[in-house]
Coordinates of all heavy atoms in Angstrom, one line a residue:
R246 N -51.1 -73.5 37.2 CA -52.0 -73.7 36.1 C -53.1 -74.7 36.4 O -54.3 -74.5 36.1 CB -51.2 -74.2 34.9 CG -52.0 -74.5 33.6 CD -51.2 -75.4 32.6 NE -50.9 -76.7 33.2 CZ -49.9 -77.5 32.8 NH1 -49.2 -77.1 31.7 NH2 -49.7 -78.6 33.4
D247 N -52.8 -75.8 37.1 CA -53.7 -76.9 37.3 C -54.6 -76.7 38.6 O -55.6 -77.4 38.7 CB -53.0 -78.2 37.4 CG -52.2 -78.5 36.1 OD1 -52.6 -78.0 35.0 OD2 -51.2 -79.3 36.2
N248 N -54.1 -75.8 39.5 CA -54.8 -75.8 40.8 C -55.3 -74.4 41.2 O -56.1 -74.3 42.2 CB -53.8 -76.3 41.9 CG -53.5 -77.8 41.7 OD1 -54.3 -78.7 42.1 ND2 -52.3 -78.1 41.1
I249 N -54.8 -73.4 40.7 CA -55.0 -72.0 41.2 C -56.5 -71.6 41.1 O -57.0 -70.8 41.9 CB -54.1 -71.0 40.6 CG1 -53.9 -69.9 41.6 CG2 -54.6 -70.5 39.3 CD1 -53.1 -70.2 42.9
A250 N -57.2 -72.2 40.2 CA -58.7 -71.9 40.1 C -59.4 -72.3 41.4 O -60.4 -71.6 41.8 CB -59.3 -72.5 38.9
N251 N -58.9 -73.3 42.1 CA -59.5 -73.8 43.3 C -59.2 -72.8 44.5 O -59.8 -73.0 45.6 CB -59.1 -75.2 43.7 CG -59.7 -76.2 42.7 OD1 -60.7 -75.9 42.0 ND2 -59.1 -77.4 42.7
F252 N -58.3 -71.9 44.2 CA -57.9 -70.9 45.2 C -58.4 -69.5 44.8 O -58.0 -68.5 45.4 CB -56.4 -70.9 45.4 CG -55.8 -72.1 46.1 CD1 -55.6 -73.3 45.3 CD2 -55.5 -72.1 47.4 CE1 -55.1 -74.4 45.9 CE2 -55.0 -73.3 48.0 CZ -54.8 -74.4 47.3
G253 N -59.4 -69.5 43.9 CA -59.9 -68.2 43.5 C -59.1 -67.5 42.4 O -59.4 -66.3 42.1
G254 N -58.1 -68.1 41.8 CA -57.3 -67.5 40.9 C -57.6 -67.8 39.4 O -58.3 -68.8 39.2
D255 N -57.0 -67.1 38.5 CA -57.3 -67.3 37.1 C -56.0 -67.8 36.4 O -55.0 -67.1 36.3 CB -57.6 -65.9 36.4 CG -57.9 -66.1 34.9 OD1 -57.8 -67.2 34.4 OD2 -58.3 -65.1 34.3
P256 N -56.0 -69.1 36.0 CA -54.7 -69.6 35.4 C -54.4 -69.0 34.1 O -53.3 -69.2 33.6 CB -55.1 -71.1 35.2 CG -56.6 -71.2 35.2 CD -57.1 -70.1 36.1
G257 N -55.3 -68.2 33.5 CA -55.1 -67.5 32.3 C -54.5 -66.1 32.5 O -54.3 -65.3 31.5
R258 N -54.3 -65.7 33.8 CA -53.7 -64.4 34.1 C -52.7 -64.5 35.2 O -52.9 -64.2 36.3 CB -54.8 -63.4 34.5 CG -55.6 -62.7 33.4 CD -56.4 -61.5 33.9 NE -57.4 -62.0 34.9 CZ -58.2 -61.1 35.5 NH1 -58.1 -59.8 35.3 NH2 -59.1 -61.5 36.3
V259 N -51.6 -65.1 34.8 CA -50.5 -65.4 35.8 C -49.3 -64.4 35.5 O -48.8 -64.4 34.4 CB -50.0 -66.8 35.7 CG1 -48.8 -67.1 36.6 CG2 -51.2 -67.8 36.1
M260 N -48.9 -63.7 36.5 CA -47.7 -62.8 36.4 C -46.6 -63.4 37.2 O -46.9 -63.8 38.4 CB -48.1 -61.4 36.9 CG -46.9 -60.5 37.1 SD -47.4 -58.9 37.8 CE -45.9 -58.2 38.4
I261 N -45.4 -63.5 36.7 CA -44.3 -63.9 37.5 C -43.4 -62.6 37.8 O -43.3 -61.8 36.9 CB -43.4 -65.0 36.8 CG1 -42.9 -64.5 35.5 CG2 -44.2 -66.3 36.7 CD1 -41.9 -65.5 34.9
F262 N -42.9 -62.5 39.0 CA -42.1 -61.4 39.3 C -41.0 -61.8 40.4 O -41.2 -62.8 41.1 CB -42.9 -60.2 39.8 CG -43.7 -60.3 41.1 CD1 -43.4 -59.4 42.1 CD2 -44.6 -61.3 41.2 CE1 -44.2 -59.5 43.3 CE2 -45.4 -61.4 42.4 CZ -45.1 -60.5 43.4
G263 N -39.9 -61.1 40.4 CA -38.9 -61.5 41.3 C -37.8 -60.4 41.4 O -37.7 -59.5 40.5
Q264 N -37.1 -60.4 42.5 CA -36.0 -59.4 42.8 C -34.7 -60.1 42.8 O -34.5 -61.2 43.3 CB -36.4 -58.7 44.1 CG -35.5 -57.5 44.4 CD -34.2 -57.8 45.1 OE1 -34.0 -58.9 45.7 NE2 -33.2 -56.9 45.0
S265 N -33.7 -59.4 42.2 CA -32.3 -59.8 42.2 C -32.2 -61.2 41.5 O -32.6 -61.3 40.4 CB -31.7 -59.9 43.6 OG -30.3 -60.0 43.6
G266 N -31.7 -62.2 42.2 CA -31.7 -63.6 41.6 C -33.1 -64.0 41.2 O -33.2 -64.7 40.2
G267 N -34.1 -63.6 41.9 CA -35.5 -63.9 41.5 C -35.8 -63.3 40.2 O -36.5 -63.9 39.3
G268 N -35.4 -62.0 40.0 CA -35.6 -61.3 38.7 C -34.9 -62.0 37.6 O -35.4 -62.1 36.4
A269 N -33.7 -62.5 37.9 CA -32.9 -63.2 36.9 C -33.6 -64.5 36.5 O -33.6 -64.9 35.3 CB -31.5 -63.5 37.5
K270 N -34.3 -65.2 37.4 CA -35.0 -66.4 37.1 C -36.2 -66.0 36.2 O -36.5 -66.8 35.3 CB -35.5 -67.1 38.4 CG -34.4 -67.5 39.3 CD -34.9 -67.8 40.7 CE -33.7 -67.9 41.7 NZ -34.2 -68.0 43.1
V271 N -36.8 -64.9 36.5 CA -37.9 -64.4 35.6 C -37.5 -64.3 34.2 O -38.1 -64.8 33.3 CB -38.5 -63.1 36.1 CG1 -39.4 -62.4 35.1 CG2 -39.3 -63.3 37.5
V272 N -36.4 -63.5 33.9 CA -36.0 -63.3 32.5 C -35.4 -64.6 31.9 O -35.5 -64.8 30.7 CB -35.0 -62.2 32.4 CG1 -35.6 -60.9 32.8 CG2 -33.7 -62.4 33.2
T273 N -34.9 -65.5 32.7 CA -34.4 -66.8 32.2 C -35.6 -67.6 31.8 O -35.6 -68.2 30.7 CB -33.6 -67.5 33.2 OG1 -32.5 -66.7 33.6 CG2 -33.1 -68.8 32.7
L274 N -36.7 -67.6 32.5 CA -37.9 -68.4 32.1 C -38.5 -67.8 30.9 O -39.1 -68.6 30.1 CB -38.9 -68.4 33.3 CG -38.9 -69.7 34.1 CD1 -37.5 -70.0 34.8 CD2 -40.0 -69.7 35.2
M275 N -38.3 -66.5 30.7 CA -38.9 -65.9 29.4 C -38.1 -66.5 28.2 O -38.6 -66.4 27.1 CB -38.7 -64.4 29.5 CG -39.7 -63.8 30.5 SD -39.6 -62.0 30.6 CE -40.4 -61.5 29.1
A276 N -36.9 -66.9 28.4 CA -36.1 -67.5 27.3 C -36.3 -69.0 27.2 O -35.6 -69.6 26.4 CB -34.6 -67.2 27.6
M277 N -37.1 -69.6 28.0 CA -37.3 -71.0 28.0 C -38.7 -71.4 27.4 O -39.7 -71.0 28.0 CB -37.2 -71.6 29.4 CG -35.8 -71.4 30.0 SD -35.6 -71.9 31.7 CE -35.9 -73.7 31.6
A278 N -38.7 -72.2 26.3 CA -40.0 -72.5 25.6 C -41.0 -73.2 26.5 O -42.2 -72.9 26.4 CB -39.7 -73.3 24.4

């Protein structure tokens, strides 16, 4: 959020993705305010 604009990215368009345990972390973060 704080730095990615300096790398050409948009902090307002961030996608998280992951496989297996990484996918589990994705859905867990969706449950975390």
Side-chain angles (χ1 to χ4, degrees):
R246 177 197 62 197
D247 298 337
N248 295 280
I249 207 65
N251 290 343
F252 292 79
D255 182 356
R258 279 193 297 176
V259 175
M260 169 185 166
I261 60 173
F262 65 124
Q264 189 274 339
S265 193
K270 297 164 199 171
V271 166
V272 297
T273 302
L274 261 59
M275 292 180 74
M277 297 174 66

